[in-house]
């Protein structure tokens, strides 16, 4: 159809969709930021040593609360928000554009593999754009575990970005962009595949109908698979983005070096450190994002498309 009046349902324009996507992600982040903080701390704990600062996620959360207060568990919120604004908006934008390009003339959507490819491409590109905010986020959330004289002390995400660029050079803002992009690819692939599989499985069981409960349960199952698959890549990203120079040499040469050192010094299962907060963050973040998105679309239709 060439005109808009061919009985197509009126939806919000593309630009609004991306904006909503970013905003929904940001809304969800406000709820899950403390979990992100705990995950990052857990992934850094025991670095270069046998001892772990935190025994469990709950122990981490309580000790951070005790030491740094309520504001402490929201450290790096500005970076978390900027990360959503850059990563989610870019990812949704690219996904939507590619999806429409690859939809057949008769309206047949791209097949599963193509959809997975689109998702991975969009994820990787979004991750590249989001890396500077990611670096700032990792460093801001890691700061409180250092002795006061060693802290980086960034005031907010913009202060962090300016100081990193000034003190360590602009390329440092993209430090760890390879594992960040790799993580996005793994997350998108695992999420897409496991979500549709879990949903199908739940519907086939006869106990579920296609509603929000089913979507929620499918999200949570998909979250488990995604977490297990992407954690080792994620710890690589966290360690590289937080690393310092030791005697003029970087702590880690590359991602493989991180994996080898973690396994050697901290044990194989340390690759899944911070599993609980990561999973607890992934599930609700996805669900909250969708809920916010639905609500925003409804409000948009009510305000702009009615009448």
């Amino acid at each position: 159809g060439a005109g808009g009046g061919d009985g197509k349902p009126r939806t919000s324009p593309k630009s609004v969709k991306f904006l909503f996507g970013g905003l929904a992600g940001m809304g969800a982040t406000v709820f899950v930021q403390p979990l992100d903080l705990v995950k990052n701390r857990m992934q850094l704990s025991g670095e270069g040593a046998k001892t772990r600062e935190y025994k469990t996620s709950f122990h981490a959360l309580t000790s951070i609360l005790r030491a740094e207060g309520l504001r402490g568990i929201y450290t790096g919120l500005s970076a978390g928000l900027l990360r959503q604004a850059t990563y989610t908006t870019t990812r949704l934008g690219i996904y939507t554009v590619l999806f429409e390009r690859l939809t057949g003339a008769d309206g047949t959507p791209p097949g599963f593999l193509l959809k997975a490819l689109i998702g991975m491409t969009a994820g990787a590109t979004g991750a590249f754009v989001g890396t500077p905010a990611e670096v700032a986020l990792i460093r801001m959330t890691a700061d409180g575990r250092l002795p006061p004289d060693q802290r980086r002390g960034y005031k907010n995400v913009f202060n962090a970005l300016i100081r990193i660029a000034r003190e360590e050079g602009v390329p440092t803002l993209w430090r760890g962009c390879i594992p960040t992009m790799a993580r996005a690819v793994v997350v998108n692939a695992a999420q897409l595949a496991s979500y549709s599989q879990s949903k199908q499985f739940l519907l086939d069981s006869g106990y579920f109908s296609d509603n929000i409960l089913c979507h929620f349960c499918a999200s949570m199952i998909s979250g488990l698979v995604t977490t297990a698959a992407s954690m080792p890549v994620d710890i690589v990203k966290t360690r590289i983005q937080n690393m310092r120079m030791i005697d003029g040499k970087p702590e880690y040469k590359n991602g493989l070096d991180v994996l080898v050192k973690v396994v050697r010094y901290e044990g194989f299962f340390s690759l899944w450190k911070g599993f609980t907060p990561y999973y607890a963050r992934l599930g609700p973040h996805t669900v909250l994002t969708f809920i916010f998105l639905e609500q925003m679309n409804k409000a948009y239709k009510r305000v702009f498309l009615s009448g």
Side-chain angles (χ1 to χ4, degrees):
D6 51 6
K8 270 198 192 150
R10 298 172 68 188
T11 55
S12 31
K14 271 205 213 66
S15 54
V16 175
K17 277 202 187 104
F18 307 151
L19 182 69
F20 280 179
L23 281 174
M26 288 166 84
T29 296
V30 175
F31 290 91
V32 300
Q33 178 66 22
L35 294 168
D36 228 2
L37 175 87
V38 171
K39 171 192 79 79
N40 292 339
R41 292 282 180 93
M42 299 274 293
Q43 287 181 327
L44 293 165
S45 89
E47 192 170 25
K50 282 278 192 236
T51 54
R52 291 198 184 182
E53 286 160 87
Y54 308 118
K55 287 188 272 302
T56 61
S57 314
F58 186 69
H59 174 218
L61 189 63
T62 47
S63 50
I64 294 166
L65 267 172
R66 252 205 313 278
E68 300 162 55
L70 250 181
R71 275 190 61 188
I73 62 166
Y74 270 98
T75 314
L77 180 62
S78 60
L81 292 173
L82 183 67
R83 173 174 170 258
Q84 283 301 322
T86 48
Y87 169 66
T88 308
T89 314
T90 311
R91 189 181 62 163
L92 288 174
I94 289 173
Y95 187 82
T96 313
V97 170
L98 288 176
F99 197 88
E100 286 182 1
R101 280 278 157 78
L102 295 169
T103 297
D106 56 350
T108 44
F112 184 76
L113 275 177
L114 200 52
K115 222 194 294 186
L117 263 174
I118 298 173
M120 290 182 201
T121 311
T125 319
F128 181 78
V129 176
T131 299
E134 188 88 60
V135 173
L137 175 70
I138 296 292
R139 290 178 168 204
M140 287 168 82
T141 50
D143 224 19
R145 62 191 277 274
L146 295 170
D149 57 313
Q150 284 177 32
R151 286 186 194 166
R152 292 180 164 118
Y154 303 133
K155 291 187 205 47
N156 55 47
V157 65
F158 299 111
N159 174 251
L161 296 175
I162 290 163
R163 275 187 46 199
I164 293 170
R166 223 186 17 233
E167 293 163 18
E168 305 169 58
V170 172
T172 309
L173 290 173
W174 272 273
R175 176 179 287 168
C177 81
I178 305 289
T180 305
M181 290 165 76
R183 173 182 167 273
V185 166
V186 172
V187 165
N188 279 292
Q191 239 169 4
L192 204 64
S194 58
Y195 181 78
S196 48
Q197 282 302 109
S198 329
K199 195 171 148 187
Q200 206 40 59
F201 171 76
L202 292 174
L203 290 174
D204 291 347
S205 75
Y207 292 107
F208 289 87
S209 51
D210 200 343
N211 55 18
I212 188 123
L213 177 70
C214 173
H215 301 171
F216 177 77
C217 294
S219 292
M220 294 315 267
I221 299 171
S222 147
L224 263 180
V225 177
T226 309
T227 303
S230 62
M231 281 239 67
V233 196
D234 195 68
I235 195 166
V236 168
K237 179 188 81 61
T238 301
R239 295 273 175 108
I240 284 181
Q241 289 174 336
N242 190 55
M243 74 180 174
R244 299 169 169 267
M245 296 294 170
I246 296 176
D247 306 326
K249 282 206 294 282
E251 269 176 270
Y252 301 107
K253 288 195 277 296
N254 51 38
L256 197 61
D257 190 34
V258 179
L259 290 175
V260 171
K261 281 184 177 156
V262 170
V263 172
R264 186 187 299 157
Y265 299 117
E266 302 164 47
F268 179 69
F269 288 104
S270 291
L271 292 174
W272 285 272
K273 255 185 217 174
F275 188 95
T276 318
Y278 187 91
Y279 174 56
R281 176 191 167 279
L282 203 68
H285 194 276
T286 314
V287 173
L288 283 166
T289 303
F290 281 128
I291 291 172
F292 279 124
L293 205 51
E294 291 290 327
Q295 296 310 317
M296 281 193 249
N297 278 327
K298 270 187 199 147
Y300 183 87
K301 282 183 186 137
R302 215 174 36 241
V303 178
F304 295 104
L305 303 179
S306 54

